[in-house]
Structure formats: structure tokens, C-alpha cells
Amino acid sequence: MYTLGIDSSTQSIKALVYDSQTRKAVTTVSVNFGKELPEFGSPDGFFPNADPLVRHANPLMWLAALDKVLSKLQAAFDTSKIAAIGGDGQQHGSVYLGGEWFERVASLDPASDLATQLANLFSRKTSPIWMDSSTTRQCKELEAKFGKYLQEVTGSPAIERFTLPQIMKFAHEEPAAYEATARIHLVSSFLASVLAGADAPVDTGDGAGMNVLNLKTLDWDGDICSFAAPGLLAKLPGVFKPGDTTPLKLAPYFAKYGFVPGIPVMPFTGDNPASLVGTGADKPGVAVISLGTSDVFFAAMENFKTDPNGYGHVFGNPSGGFMSLACVKNGSLAREKVRAQLGVDYKFFDETAFELTPAGNDGKRAFPYFESEITPLHPATGLDANFDWDAASDAVRVRAVIEAQVANMFERTRWIGSFDTIRVTGGASRSKGIRDTIAAIFGAKVETLEIPDSAALGGALIAARAV
Ligand code: XUL
């Protein structure tokens, strides 16, 4: 049986077909937003903005990418054989839709493309994404009102990139547009809705990244909603509870890509919860480090506990229970920037630099604060080196950045527990230098995975639950 996992992340969308008989990924296709959809003016998947705190993306770009990736898939695989679809989106990002949404999503016209026919439905033209940190004021308001309650019930203190502070900012700055919003979706539930041609629920994996899902009741917290913005509860989708396997159904629109309409579509989750499933880490015991646009550490949870320092989070585990997670914003984009600045190739950046330098780098470290950092909170001030960067060799510089990143992650995730085994996934997991650094600093065995696209794979595995 073949199932499809769709992963809509910050910089690209991927579609992966999984064969449950051979337990292999048989086909993977992807669309890079910046390179393949240049008309959206988002080289890294979001609009460039002079204000380092503001990061928004165009939701129409995600729709154009969905059409494109499915058309690529049809060219590479007999899509009529796909039995079910699952998937995920980058977490926290939100999509704002006007009242016509419900009717229009239910009547998608195959003669047109998704971005064209859904274009005028958005009550907010752009979507704040997880890289946005412009909501400090709203976070302070939430903290002042709810104090410890917020972390106790939602799993996180008020966090700038989380969806609720973003919604509050929108309601405050554009009250008329907020009022005209009938539905607020996450990237994940928005894409699942389009695939299903029906308003899809938010799962607890992604929903917990909003600051408004009560993890004790697994439903929206009425008190937080009423405080945050007028009429918010009615604007939020339903909640898909863990263990529920009732799927949505694929809309007739997608027959144009060869799919059989009506096949099950499982509600989508966040990219990290999907990756937890895709790396086989959805039972407690191993931790995962995902090295993508963001660097993320996560693990299935034995017992519900929150980060005493407030950097980490508790999200729903799509396989039941909860997961803990900590996210560092300056991940692969930062590494790529350093590599480009030094003008060295991947072989040097991933391997040679580490052969030329001793572990520990004689104490030389350089943290890349190219984006305003969230773990720890730090403004976008560029490289913060504790040595003379200009006088150092390229090899020392590379190791200084990687050891700073890994040491930071180690420090910020100690509350989660210690692990003998860490699975690494994401593009940068190909780097031997990074893997060895993780093994040394965490004192753990590091495993790589045969299928690097663990989020898309997780989506495909979740899809299989529907059949
Ligand atoms: C997790 C986070 C990022 C995004 C994008 O909290 O903000 O990992 O999910 O990948």
C-alpha cells in the first residue's frame, strides 16, 4: 500500500510516497519556494523585511507550491495508487480567511489553479511565520494576565512566534480585518483543508504551538481566548484529538493530478511532531535533533513537564501523549551564510574543517545571531565570536560556529533529560562534523536515518493509520 506525506516547511514543500509493504520511500519530489516560485519574491520562503523581527510569508505561495509539487509527483509516480494522504506544515504560522472560505474551499474548480481561485479569500494578505518575533508586547500582556497558568496549561509561556500573540497583534493593529476573519488556520490545517475541500481541524501536535490549546482538556482554553481577542473561539478550527483516526476525504479537484477523489486525508500536524513519527521516536527513549532552517531538539515525553527556564515547549505527540521541544532559529540558514562568507565548499564545511582542528577548538566559539534568536533571546547582531575572527583560519571559524550551536542546544535542552541515543535528521545531518560534535557534546550515540525527509515520512506514516 502506498501513502503520501506532504511536508510544507519554511523553504520548500516535499511530497513523499511511502510503500508500507517494503517500508521504503519510493518517490520524493519537492518544490523550493525561492528558486521555483520566484514570482513571490521570497528567496528563503518569506518576504525580506528590513525589520529583523518581522517575518511574513505569502499563503498564495504555499498554494502555488502545492499545485506544483502534486503535478511533479504525477510525472514521477502513478498517483492513482495512493491510498491515503497525511502531512505537516512549518509550525506556528497562521492564515486568516474571510467568510467565503467555507463555501469556496468546498467547491474548488479543477479548471483553475488553487492560488488564482482562492486569492481574494484572505482577510490578512500575509501570514506571520515562526521566524517572526514582533509580538513582545502581546507576550507581556499574556504574562501579566495569566502568569504561570499559561505555561501550566498550554505547555509554554507566552512566546513571540506562537500563534496567539500573533493573532492578538493583528486584532490590535487591524481590528476591521480581524473582525472580517471567519477562520484562522495554521499552515498545516490550512493545507489539509484545501486537500480535503473542507475546513480541517488542528491537531494537538501543531495546536500546542499556539499558546491557546489547553493540554489538560485538549481543547481551546476559553479564558485565554476571551482575553486575547474578541470572538476568537469561533474563529478557531476544531481540535483533532490524539488517537482519533477519522480522516477527511480528498477533494475532487485533485483528480487532475491523477488521485482518486475521496481517499482519506488525515489532519495535518506540525513539521516537528511529524518528524517525531518519521524518525521512529514517538515512543520515549531516544531524542531527535532536526537540522533544518531551524535547529530543533525533541523527544517523546514520559511525563508531562515544562521547561523551568521557559525556552522549551510541550506539544502533542501525534502517536498519543506529549513531546518536548526546543527550537533555535539560527540553524541551516545561518550555517549557509557562514559557509558562503568564507567561500568554502560543503566538503570543507562538513568534514575537512573538523579534521584540521581539535575538538573543543581551544575554547573558540562563535554564535551566529543572523536572525533575532529565540533560544536564547538575542537580537540579530551577527556573529558573536569570543576570539579574533579575522585572524583565525577558516577551519577554526567553521568549528567555532558549529560547536557554539551544539553547545547552546545542549544547555537549553537539559531540562528534557539525558539520552544515550540521538537521531539526527534534516539537510545538515549529512555533515559528519556536525554529527561528531553532537556525539561529543551530548555524550550520546548519534544515528542517521535512511530517509532524510523525516517530516514527510511521518505524514505518510500517519496517513497509513487511516487505512
Ligand atoms: C518549532 C519551530 C520551527 C518551525 C519550522 O517550534 O518554530 O521548528 O516548526 O520548522
Side-chain angles (χ1 to χ4, degrees), residues 184-236:
I184 302 172
H185 270 294
L186 293 177
V187 179
S188 59
S189 57
F190 173 59
L191 291 174
S193 300
V194 170
L195 283 162
D199 195 59
V202 164
D203 96 310
T204 59
D206 215 12
M210 296 174 75
N211 266 153
V212 63
L213 184 72
N214 187 317
L215 295 178
K216 315 259 176 205
T217 62
L218 297 181
D219 214 337
W220 306 122
D221 188 289
D223 292 342
I224 301 177
C225 276
S226 336
F227 172 77
L232 177 59
L233 191 56
K235 298 183 199 286
L236 297 176

Side-chain angles (χ1 to χ4, degrees), residues 298-324:
F298 50 82
M301 262 187 167
E302 206 102 50
N303 303 305
F304 188 97
K305 69 173 165 185
T306 53
D307 178 5
N309 303 305
Y311 291 114
H313 318 294
V314 181
F315 293 162
N317 173 346
S319 302
F322 299 99
M323 64 186 282
S324 41

Side-chain angles (χ1 to χ4, degrees), residues 37-49:
L37 297 167
E39 62 273 29
F40 291 99
S42 305
D44 294 316
F46 50 88
F47 290 118
N49 194 309

Side-chain angles (χ1 to χ4, degrees), residues 91-92 130 155-156 159 161-162 272 288-291 294-299 301 307 310-315 323-329 373-376 408-416 442:
Q91 298 200 249
H92 318 297
W130 65 275
S156 304
I159 300 282
R161 72 185 188 284
F162 277 35
N272 298 299
V288 179
I289 295 181
S290 167
L291 300 158
S294 57
D295 285 345
V296 192
F297 182 102
F298 50 82
M301 262 187 167
D307 178 5
Y311 291 114
H313 318 294
V314 181
F315 293 162
M323 64 186 282
S324 41
L325 177 144
C327 171
V328 179
K329 208 199 269 184
E373 186 46 65
I374 46 186
T375 310
N408 176 51
M409 181 159 277
F410 177 70
E411 271 310 310
R412 309 287 162 187
T413 56
R414 277 155 74 143
W415 67 277
I416 295 174
F442 280 84

